[in-house]
Amino acid sequence: MHSACWQKRGWLRVGLLLAAIATTGFAHSRFETRSRVELGQLQVPSPDYVKLWSLGFDAAIADYYWLRAIGVVGAEEGAVEEQGEVLADLIDLVTTVDPWVGHPYRFAAVWLTRDREMVERGNRLLERAISYHPLDWRNRYHLGFNYFYYLDEQMRAADLLEGAIGLEGAPGYLAPLVARLRSKRGGLQVAAAFLVQMIESTEDSYKKAEYLKAVDEIQIEERARFLDDARVEYWRRNGGDIEQVSDLLAGPKPVLQRLPRAQLHLDGFEWILDPESGQIVSSYYGSRYQLHESQADRSRKQEWRELGEGAEAEGA
Amino acid sequence: MIGRIWAMAINTAREAIRNKLLYTLLFFALAMMLFGTILSALSYVDRERMVQDFAFASIRLFSVAIAVFVGVGLIHKEVERRTVYTILSKPLSRAEFLIGKYTGLVLIIWLQVVIMALFFSGVSLLLGAPLGFTHLAALILTAVELALVVALATLFSSFTTPLLASFFSCGIWLAGHLTRDLRDHGASSASALVREGTAWMHRILPDLESFNLSIEAAHQLPVAASDIWFPALYGAGYVAVILAFAVMIFERRDFR
């Protein structure tokens, strides 16, 4: 009788335990368990406030918010576009609490590109990065790239990229890129002079070869521009355009006696008419010496410009 | 005198080693370091640095917890168990008793910092994370900070209950980490009272941020020798002042 009572009590306890587990599971399944990142409800505290209350645990707290920033990017497709401000706030917090971090600055530069305002926020973070890591070429490169690619400020971009050229680990293509940016406003002579200066100042043979290649391209561009002038003259004399570059030497009224070399050191290359742009180009390079911009980039810049003008008009 | 203080210190260390709280907190500190390695796997860059950040944070957090929660019971236990009468009836002054108690606990806290540091080094070596002089400097200054926290716990333990002593010690530790920022924020205030008040708080309360080199260690930033010796000297001076107050209070205390 006594043992039967204990057995009954035992079963009752097991039953109560199972009921408690079931209730817990049921309740847990009935409420929202998605993270605040997924819900788009992530609230980022003020960086100064977090810095004040970090109580010496700055590095660990910065790491924690860095993981949250990665979570925003990795949450789902389109999350960065929707939560750009949150991401910018998170990176601002991380880099305020621990400004010596490296990668988060460039992470921000890569992801904060939704609109002009976001790019400018990314740029402010990169400026902070440069102040803490003045010898890291990558931050200057990203900042220069943002000015060139998103904000259409070639001269500012050239200045920033020029600052990165001499830093350790900087790739050889930076100086030719700066030259190309400078050529847009200052012309080919400015670009060539800059490269010559770079050639004289570097000891790195790989970089020197890169710069020499860029100087060659500028010389070919000068020749292409000479052929452009000849093409205009051909039009004036013959009342029509050339069908191929060799027409400049032939026809009833030729304008040239011979064509310059299309490649300075190698044979087998010629001047051709680019089927897309209709420009005279060297078959070696396939395009003219300029900053290349896709149609999508042109459209984006136009869209941003219109948005900016719209906002200004509203403000007025 | 040194011999009597040392004997007291060894006795206190033996007693503290038997405290289960010490082992519990030490276990959690080591567990949190391991958790840091899991957490760092969520990042695709700087994983080794993140492991070290979490390890440093757990060393500091749990060491302070041990210093406060074991430290506040130092005197109270002796009074509660009436053993203080037996000890003080021997040729041992109250000052020697208090300083001996303090020294014993500091030795134990430093020992557990060494254990955590060895574990930290092992984890770092396994993960290929860099270990350098700045890590050692950061650990040394953490040890100085802990000596100061134990002194605070000893001071409060000398005249109040363990609960209040732990509140006071945690409060001062908290304030000690805020005074620099408060002074900087206060400096831009329009009110002269706020400006002077925050400046004086920074002067009077322990400036515990001066013992924090965890960011420098994590990023392998250069640290000047003066960034180690002056804070260490400041910490030693501050400990001496706190212990002097603690002795003054303890010598006037009536145990009846």
Side-chain angles (χ1 to χ4, degrees):
Chain A
M1 178 71 186
H2 188 71
S3 84
C5 182
W6 274 108
Q7 204 173 9
K8 199 177 168 186
R9 270 192 182 182
W11 281 114
L12 188 68
R13 282 180 182 176
V14 171
L16 281 172
L17 179 67
L18 289 175
I21 291 169
T23 308
T24 311
F26 170 74
H28 197 226
S29 68
R30 301 301 293 176
F31 56 76
E32 186 60 75
T33 53
R34 280 180 297 165
S35 70
R36 286 188 181 276
V37 174
E38 282 184 53
L39 291 167
Q41 296 173 345
L42 186 63
Q43 296 291 319
V44 183
S46 150
D48 290 333
Y49 184 78
V50 175
K51 175 85 181 158
L52 178 69
W53 285 100
S54 60
L55 302 174
F57 297 101
D58 315 42
I61 289 171
D63 289 344
Y64 167 74
Y65 281 105
W66 163 238
L67 291 176
R68 300 216 80 161
I70 293 176
V72 169
V73 171
E76 58 187 61
E77 205 174 331
V80 184
E81 279 73 30
E82 284 173 20
Q83 300 198 50
E85 283 84 4
V86 171
L87 186 65
D89 288 346
L90 282 168
I91 300 294
D92 188 20
L93 195 159
V94 169
T95 56
T96 301
V97 176
D98 182 2
W100 295 101
V101 292
H103 190 77
Y105 292 110
R106 296 184 289 279
F107 179 83
V110 168
W111 290 104
L112 299 180
T113 56
R114 186 190 64 197
D115 53 34
R116 194 181 177 90
E117 194 188 336
M118 282 292 109
V119 172
E120 282 168 353
R121 280 201 76 176
N123 284 1
R124 283 197 291 277
L125 290 168
L126 286 165
E127 276 160 13
R128 185 184 292 163
I130 292 169
S131 69
Y132 279 92
H133 303 280
L135 300 179
D136 193 329
W137 68 272
R138 293 170 297 179
N139 300 318
R140 290 173 199 272
Y141 170 78
H142 279 281
L143 187 56
F145 180 81
N146 277 1
Y147 273 108
F148 149 62
Y149 191 75
Y150 294 110
L151 303 179
D152 220 5
E153 293 182 35
Q154 270 82 16
M155 289 306 110
R156 177 95 177 94
D159 290 343
L160 285 158
L161 292 172
E162 192 177 339
I165 290 170
L167 299 176
E168 196 184 335
Y173 62 78
L174 281 185
L177 177 59
V178 171
R180 207 176 276 253
L181 286 163
R182 293 224 187 284
S183 75
K184 196 169 182 186
R185 181 174 289 179
L188 294 177
Q189 295 306 316
V190 172
F194 172 76
L195 285 167
V196 168
Q197 186 194 338
M198 287 289 112
I199 291 165
E200 285 167 0
S201 63
T202 188
E203 295 292 317
D204 186 327
S205 54
Y206 171 76
K207 284 185 179 172
K208 203 169 265 190
E210 285 280 328
Y211 303 161
L212 284 167
K213 270 172 20 189
V215 170
D216 285 355
E217 198 177 348
I218 289 174
Q219 286 186 26
I220 293 297
E221 174 61 22
E222 282 172 342
R223 292 174 183 196
R225 289 184 186 185
F226 167 74
L227 293 177
D228 285 343
D229 293 341
R231 188 176 180 179
V232 172
E233 182 61 22
Y234 181 91
W235 186 290
R236 200 182 61 76
R237 287 186 191 178
N238 296 290
D241 198 8
I242 53 172
E243 286 177 8
Q244 52 198 7
V245 182
S246 58
D247 287 353
L248 296 169
L249 310 175
K253 293 173 183 171
V255 290
L256 294 175
Q257 290 184 336
R258 64 185 178 90
L259 292 174
R261 284 175 69 96
Q263 216 286 345
L264 294 179
H265 312 289
L266 302 170
D267 294 326
F269 296 97
E270 56 180 351
W271 294 102
I272 55 168
L273 285 175
D274 179 28
E276 274 186 32
S277 63
Q279 286 182 310
I280 298 173
V281 297
S282 159
S283 61
Y284 179 76
Y285 293 107
S287 65
R288 296 290 288 268
Y289 183 79
Q290 61 193 9
L291 293 164
H292 297 285
E293 195 173 43
S294 71
Q295 183 55 43
D297 293 333
R298 275 195 291 273
S299 308
R300 177 181 43 73
K301 281 180 186 170
Q302 182 61 29
E303 194 184 319
W304 283 13
R305 213 168 286 134
E306 284 166 9
L307 277 172
E309 282 164 8
E312 272 178 30
E314 268 181 35
Chain B
M1 188 177 82
I2 300 288
R4 288 194 295 274
I5 289 175
W6 185 246
M8 194 70 223
I10 294 297
N11 196 41
T12 305
R14 277 200 199 114
E15 192 189 352
I17 275 179
R18 283 189 230 119
N19 194 330
K20 282 179 188 154
L21 180 69
L22 188 93
Y23 295 103
T24 312
L25 290 172
L26 185 62
F27 169 77
F28 274 106
L30 301 182
M32 197 169 142
M33 283 191 212
L34 285 179
F35 178 66
T37 59
I38 298 166
L39 210 59
S40 69
L42 297 174
S43 176
Y44 63 95
V45 285
D46 295 339
R47 285 181 186 160
E48 297 83 7
R49 185 181 58 74
M50 286 176 75
V51 169
Q52 293 192 333
D53 289 345
F54 284 114
F56 261 109
S58 53
I59 288 175
R60 291 187 57 239
L61 182 69
F62 287 97
S63 300
V64 167
I66 293 170
V68 171
F69 294 114
V70 179
V72 292
L74 266 184
I75 312 294
H76 189 262
K77 267 187 194 169
E78 301 285 357
V79 176
E80 202 178 46
R81 284 191 252 142
R82 314 266 178 214
T83 43
V84 71
Y85 301 113
T86 322
I87 299 167
L88 293 178
S89 64
K90 293 188 170 150
L92 181 81
S93 72
R94 287 192 179 195
E96 287 165 349
F97 169 78
L98 195 89
I99 293 168
K101 281 265 167 203
Y102 167 79
T103 312
L105 185 56
V106 167
L107 285 176
I108 287 299
I109 303 272
W110 284 357
L111 177 69
Q112 60 87 24
V113 169
V114 169
I115 293 169
M116 289 188 205
L118 288 174
F119 192 79
F120 165 78
S121 308
V123 171
S124 296
L125 288 172
L126 273 174
L127 295 172
L131 279 175
F133 173 73
T134 16
H135 291 98
L136 181 66
L139 286 168
I140 288 170
L141 286 189
T142 300
V144 177
E145 180 183 348
L146 293 169
L148 207 156
V149 174
V150 175
L152 285 169
T154 309
L155 169 71
F156 294 124
S157 170
S158 67
F159 67 86
T160 188
T161 61
L163 184 69
L164 284 177
S166 55
F167 273 131
F168 294 153
S169 304
C170 288
I172 300 275
W173 178 77
L174 202 72
H177 277 288
L178 293 174
T179 53
R180 269 189 196 190
D181 288 318
L182 285 178
R183 180 202 56 188
D184 294 347
H185 286 293
S188 56
S189 168
S191 160
L193 186 71
V194 174
R195 278 199 307 274
E196 285 302 310
T198 50
W200 274 102
M201 269 176 76
H202 179 251
R203 280 181 207 124
I204 294 169
L205 289 169
D207 181 11
L208 298 180
E209 274 301 300
S210 59
F211 307 119
N212 182 16
L213 286 182
S214 51
I215 282 195
E216 283 79 357
H219 295 288
Q220 294 279 292
L221 300 175
V223 175
S226 58
D227 292 337
I228 303 161
W229 297 119
F230 282 122
L233 191 65
Y234 167 77
Y238 211 106
V239 165
V241 172
I242 295 173
L243 288 181
F245 276 116
V247 166
M248 268 162 46
I249 293 167
F250 192 64
E251 280 180 338
R252 280 162 183 73
R253 190 167 166 186
D254 186 1
F255 292 115
R256 279 177 297 172

